[in-house]
Amino acid sequence: MKLVLDSKDLADGFFEDTRLLGIMAPMKDYLFCWQLNQLLGVDFRINNEIEIQLTKKNRNYFFAVYEFPEPHTSLVHYLYNNQFDGEYLLPEFKHLDFLWLLKGDAVSEQVLQQIIESIRTIKGVQLVTELATDKVKNKEHLVF
């Protein structure tokens, strides 16, 4: 008997109760995180243990993931770099530089809009939009 891991079920479970933002901001990930930390009073830090590695055309691509667990809640913020060396974590969103995943606790529309409005004030940010996770084709790429 052979057991097959269903990555679709895994991905669907991973994305339960999440919100996902796509951000166009052509700048280095550490600079973007620094600005977010300053502006929003958050503390995004790179987490090398959950870095995403994809192999395409016999090459490895590494997508950094920054993490910020919100104190006294079960909400965790993850910021993914969508590009590495000409490849994309989510190829269907090539125009996006970063993906911000809010996971672990319900996030109200009001809180999400405040985050979006704050990100838009950062110099260099060209677009911030919520992505419907059911529209993301390669969402298993975001599962760590």
Side-chain angles (χ1 to χ4, degrees):
M1 183 171 135
K2 196 159 116 187
L3 291 175
V4 177
L5 190 62
D6 187 343
S7 61
K8 186 191 177 321
D9 282 356
L10 246 175
D12 290 346
F14 182 86
F15 285 98
E16 215 167 289
D17 286 333
T18 61
R19 306 293 290 263
L20 183 64
L21 298 176
I23 302 164
M24 191 192 301
M27 62 181 81
K28 296 276 182 213
D29 52 7
Y30 58 87
L31 284 174
F32 185 57
C33 282
W34 183 83
Q35 291 191 62
L36 289 173
N37 290 349
Q38 299 300 309
L39 180 71
L40 297 172
V42 293
D43 189 16
F44 271 112
R45 302 213 171 169
I46 196 160
N47 183 341
N48 294 318
E49 290 174 19
I50 56 175
E51 174 182 74
I52 309 286
Q53 179 182 338
L54 297 180
T55 305
K56 294 181 179 181
K57 305 178 201 103
N58 296 327
R59 273 196 62 196
N60 290 332
Y61 295 90
F62 302 92
F63 299 90
V65 181
Y66 291 76
E67 180 180 33
F68 166 61
E70 223 171 87
H72 317 297
T73 72
S74 44
L75 184 64
V76 184
H77 302 262
Y78 297 98
L79 191 75
Y80 298 79
N81 205 334
N82 192 38
Q83 299 182 29
F84 178 87
D85 211 14
E87 279 297 333
Y88 298 89
L89 188 57
L90 295 183
E92 65 268 35
F93 296 112
K94 285 188 164 116
H95 61 292
L96 298 176
D97 299 295
F98 301 102
L99 304 156
W100 181 328
L101 180 72
L102 297 91
K103 177 176 169 54
D105 214 343
V107 176
S108 72
E109 197 55 44
Q110 184 185 1
V111 167
L112 196 71
Q113 287 310 314
Q114 286 174 330
I115 291 172
I116 289 172
E117 291 309 314
S118 298
I119 298 169
R120 283 185 178 143
T121 67
I122 294 176
K123 190 176 185 313
V125 170
Q126 298 167 356
L127 174 82
V128 185
T129 185
E130 182 169 11
L131 304 174
T133 52
D134 57 339
K135 301 276 185 278
V136 178
K137 286 191 205 109
N138 295 289
K139 64 174 128 186
E140 67 279 359
H141 290 181
L142 300 179
V143 178
F144 40 78

